[in-house]
Amino acid sequence: MPVYKNKNAKNNKWYYSFSYKESNKYKKKLKRGFKTKKEAENAMIEAMDSINKGTYIEPSKTLYRDFMDSWLKDKKINVKKSTYSNYQYLVENFILVSLGDIELQKINPREIQTLYNDLKENNRLSSENIRKIHTIINDALNKAFKWGMINRNPATLVDAPKVVKKEVEVWNQDEINIFLNVAKDSRYYHAFLLALTTGMRQGEILGLRWKDIDIENETISVVQTLSHKGQELSAGAKTDSGNRRISIDSNTLSQVLKHRTLQKEEMMVNSPLYNSHNDLVVRTSTGLPLSPRNLLRSFYSIIDKSGIKKIRFHDLRHTHASLLLKQGVNPKIVSERLGHANVRITLDTYSHLLPNLQKETVNNFSKMFYQN
């Protein structure tokens, strides 16, 4: 492999060098500054691949917006559509507005930091999305560095924006009972019930099929989701750990199965217009996927009628988790029900809702310590 160690330089770092043919002319590609041989080899392979694919652009001719256009195209084939749409939205509406017309080689840390400051000071985006913008900029410029288009990645010199955690809002048992009592006549009662008793996400509930419910073993398999816009059903959950099997109590299962009877009646009334191919548990009167917007409209309408604290639909998931933890359920089990990647996420998210856990722990320790 044409990878070398610069023994004459003080930093003793690695570099790569290779020749390639372009327009019947041979050109030399050289990139310095790699800490390890492996890092230099990986960067060289990426650079060669980009040249072979025809996606490599000479640094001197590249504006940041042109490079980001190619970066987005590369991402499109490697991430889910919903993730790509989010990347595209943040790039086109926020990143390129500030950095798009700057030459790739001339972008500096000050310009990146100014973008973050502007977004935060003007409340244009949540702290989570500002952090996502940093991740995008850093990832893109890191690729430009590996490809030899810039001498260093300026984003590595900028502190990642701090994410301010929003306080999790949940209902207590009385509020749950009031809501469900008002919602019992709603067409989407079973959707609300599933959120409260299983902790499933909105997209997971709207993507749930009857064949995903194991009636005999009283379990639900989360293997499909509906997009935020309600236009696409996708295999798999939000994350790999989100693909899971959840136990469901018999009372909830009974309520959900009642809705299947209603759907069979609608299928007969609305035939042949009825679309039964999706097999969805939550669907419109003609069998189509239910728009998340319509579900939320019904949800907030019921909250207004109930006169209880207004929370988001996603907070039903938080409510489920907090109730389980307050009952003393092992956090590992709660984490598995929610589809978290690890139990630490669960504890970080909900620990502040459980002020009595430490007290209970201390009391139990005291009984053991002073038992003699």
Side-chain angles (χ1 to χ4, degrees), residues 195-349:
L196 284 165
T197 60
T198 68
M200 292 170 66
R201 299 177 177 90
Q202 177 182 271
E204 295 170 347
I205 293 172
L206 295 180
L208 181 65
R209 299 164 298 185
W210 289 110
K211 68 178 181 180
D212 299 328
I213 301 178
D214 185 335
I215 298 175
E216 182 178 351
N217 294 306
E218 297 186 338
T219 61
I220 288 175
S221 295
V222 180
V223 294
Q224 178 178 263
T225 60
L226 182 69
S227 66
H228 289 300
K229 294 183 179 180
Q231 298 176 345
E232 183 178 4
L233 289 163
S234 302
K238 181 180 180 181
T239 62
D240 291 338
S241 56
N243 292 300
R244 62 200 187 280
R245 179 172 292 185
I246 307 170
S247 292
I248 180 174
D249 68 273
S250 56
N251 290 327
T252 298
L253 180 58
S254 176
Q255 291 295 327
V256 172
L257 292 176
K258 285 182 180 179
H259 197 76
R260 185 162 63 173
T261 302
L262 171 64
Q263 289 182 349
K264 289 180 179 179
E265 294 173 354
E266 290 177 339
M267 192 181 303
M268 294 177 62
V269 172
N270 295 324
S271 181
L273 299 176
Y274 198 88
N275 185 334
S276 59
H277 301 298
N278 292 320
D279 188 40
L280 296 173
V281 174
V282 182
R283 56 176 109 159
T284 68
S285 59
T286 56
L288 296 173
L290 175 66
S291 166
R293 183 175 298 179
N294 289 337
L295 179 66
L296 294 181
R297 187 180 293 115
S298 176
F299 174 64
Y300 291 125
S301 175
I302 294 170
I303 290 179
D304 291 339
K305 292 178 182 177
S306 303
I308 56 177
K309 177 175 62 179
K310 187 173 183 179
I311 63 175
R312 303 169 303 163
F313 188 92
H314 192 74
D315 291 326
L316 300 182
R317 170 176 165 86
H318 293 321
T319 297
H320 174 73
S322 64
L323 289 176
L324 290 180
L325 290 169
K326 287 178 180 178
Q327 290 172 0
V329 176
N330 190 311
K332 175 64 175 175
I333 295 175
V334 178
S335 178
E336 290 173 354
R337 287 182 67 78
L338 297 178
H340 284 164
N342 55 65
V343 71
R344 180 179 177 180
I345 296 174
T346 309
L347 293 175
D348 287 348
T349 304

